[in-house]
C-alpha cells in the first residue's frame, strides 16, 4: 500500500515507531499541545488528528483511534503495516466489572476477551486469545509503581456494544474474572499479532457497571493524565 493511505494523510517517515492512541482525537491534540515538543500534525482526515513530537527527547506520535473495533482496526492496521510503526499503546476509558477495580484505577489489559467476530477473518481452527506485549506490560507496571499509580493487571472485555440488550452479560463476564469493559483492545491486539508488532491497552476506570459510580469531568482528566504519563514514559 502506498502512503498516504485512504485514512491517514501522513507521508512515510512522518510517524514515530511508537504511537499513543486515545479514542478521542481531541485527546490526541491535548497530549500534543501539553506534553510534546516540536509538534508536527500528520493527519486531519475525518478529523482523526495525529501528531508527531518529542517527549523528553524521544520521538513519539499520538493519534485518535475512534470508537469500536472497526475504527481502531483500520488505523492500527495502517500504522503497523504501511507506516512501519512498531508499538501502539491505546489509552482509553473503561467501565469496571469487578469489585476490586475502582473508579480512577488504571487497568493494564493483559488480555482482551471479546464478543466481536473480528478474529473470524483469520480463519483459525479454534479461538484466538488476544494478548498485550509482555515487554510493554512489564514496562507499564514498573512505570506506574515509580509514579505511585494504582494499577490492576488482567483480562478485560472488548465489546461491540455499549448498550447491550443482554442484561445478564456483565455478570457472566464478571464470573470469568473480567476486570472492565471497553470497545477496542481486542482488535488492536489481533492486528499487532498478525503484523508481529507490539500493542498495549491502558485504561482508566471512568465508571462502574456494578455500583453505577462515575467520574466527574475533572477527575476523568486527572486519571487520564496519570495513564498518559505511564504511556509516554514507556514509549521507545
Ligand atoms: N462500556 C463500554 N465501553 C466503555 C464503558 C462501558 O461501560 N465505559 C467506558 N468505556
Amino acid at each position: 500500500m502506498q502512503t498516504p493511505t485512504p485514512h491517514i494523510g501522513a507521508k512515510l517517515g512522518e510517524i514515530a515507531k511508537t504511537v499513543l492512541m486515545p479514542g478521542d482525537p481531541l485527546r490526541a491534540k491535548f497530549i500534543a499541545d501539553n506534553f510534546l515538543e516540536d509538534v508536527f500534525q500528520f493527519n486531519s482526515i475525518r478529523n482523526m488528528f495525529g501528531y508527531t513530537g518529542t517527549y523528553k527527547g524521544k520521538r513519539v506520535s499520538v493519534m485518535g483511534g475512534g470508537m469500536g473495533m472497526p475504527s481502531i482496526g483500520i488505523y492500527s492496521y495502517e500504522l503497523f503495516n504501511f507506516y512501519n510503526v512498531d508499538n501502539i499503546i491505546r489509552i482509553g476509558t473503561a467501565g469496571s466489572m469487578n469489585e476490586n477495580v475502582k473508579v480512577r484505577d488504571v487497568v493494564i489489559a493483559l488480555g482482551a476477551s471479546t464478543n466481536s467476530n473480528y478474529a473470524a477473518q483469520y480463519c483459525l481452527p479454534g479461538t484466538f486469545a488476544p494478548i498485550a506485549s509482555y515487554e510493554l506490560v512489564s514496562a507499564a507496571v514498573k512505570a506506574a509503581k515509580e509514579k505511585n499509580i494504582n494499577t490492576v493487571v488482567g483480562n478485560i472485555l472488548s465489546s461491540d456494544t455499549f448498550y447491550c440488550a443482554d442484561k445478564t452479560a456483565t455478570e457472566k463476564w464478571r464470573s470469568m474474572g473480567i476486570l472492565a469493559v471497553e470497545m477496542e483492545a481486542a482488535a488492536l491486539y489481533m492486528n499487532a499479532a498478525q503484523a508481529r508488532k507490539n500493542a498495549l491497552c491502558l485504561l482508566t476506570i471512568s465508571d462502574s457497571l456494578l455500583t453505577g459510580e462515575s467520574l466527574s469531568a475533572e477527575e476523568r482528566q486527572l486519571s487520564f493524565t496519570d495513564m498518559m504519563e505511564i504511556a509516554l514514559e514507556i514509549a521507545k
Side-chain angles (χ1 to χ4, degrees):
M1 168 80 75
Q2 295 285 320
T3 55
T5 68
H7 312 98
I8 305 178
K11 295 198 211 63
L12 197 61
E14 288 180 345
I15 304 179
K17 287 292 176 193
T18 298
V19 179
L20 269 54
M21 187 160 266
D24 180 352
L26 291 179
R27 290 267 183 203
K29 183 174 186 324
F30 173 84
I31 295 168
D33 287 346
N34 293 285
F35 293 86
L36 302 186
E37 290 176 309
D38 304 320
V39 171
F40 164 78
Q41 182 171 344
F42 66 75
N43 193 48
S44 63
I45 297 175
R46 289 179 184 246
N47 290 327
M48 198 56 86
F49 305 131
Y51 307 86
T52 298
T54 58
Y55 177 76
K56 296 186 181 169
K58 265 186 319 203
R59 191 164 179 260
V60 59
S61 293
V62 53
M63 179 179 165
M67 285 189 285
M69 294 181 51
S71 183
I72 197 166
I74 290 169
Y75 293 114
S76 60
Y77 190 94
E78 293 184 358
L79 292 171
F80 282 142
N81 295 290
F82 308 141
Y83 286 99
N84 299 332
V85 167
D86 287 336
N87 313 292
I88 296 179
I89 305 173
R90 161 166 154 71
I91 44 180
T93 57
S96 172
M97 281 194 175
N98 183 292
E99 54 280 14
N100 298 320
V101 179
K102 316 278 189 219
V103 292
R104 277 213 67 183
D105 280 353
V106 172
V107 167
I108 298 175
L110 194 57
S113 300
T114 188
N115 57 17
S116 146
N117 208 26
Y118 196 85
Q121 63 179 308
Y122 307 114
C123 301
L124 297 167
T127 307
F128 185 75
I131 57 166
S133 145
Y134 175 73
E135 205 184 325
L136 290 176
V137 169
S138 55
V141 168
K142 185 163 168 275
K145 273 206 184 108
E146 283 166 8
K147 289 179 183 298
N148 266 325
I149 298 167
N150 195 28
T151 59
V152 189
V153 184
N155 204 352
I156 62 147
L157 172 66
S158 296
S159 176
D160 266 349
T161 51
F162 186 90
Y163 302 104
C164 187
D166 177 6
K167 300 304 174 200
T168 68
T170 298
E171 181 50 35
K172 289 172 185 159
W173 288 111
R174 203 181 76 81
S175 76
M176 290 300 286
I178 297 296
L179 301 174
V181 55
E182 54 85 72
M183 302 184 70
E184 292 83 16
L188 172 63
Y189 288 2
M190 285 188 246
N191 280 354
Q194 196 200 29
R196 301 287 198 284
K197 304 277 177 126
N198 310 305
L200 176 66
C201 173
L202 301 175
L203 298 162
T204 59
I205 299 301
S206 59
D207 53 281
S208 167
L209 275 62
L210 300 180
T211 65
E213 199 184 351
S214 74
L215 287 183
S216 68
E218 192 188 341
E219 289 170 317
R220 227 176 237 253
Q221 190 61 51
L222 281 174
S223 49
F224 181 79
T225 303
D226 278 351
M227 172 179 63
M228 191 197 58
E229 282 177 356
I230 297 174
L232 284 170
E233 231 29 88
I234 68 175
K236 47 179 183 167

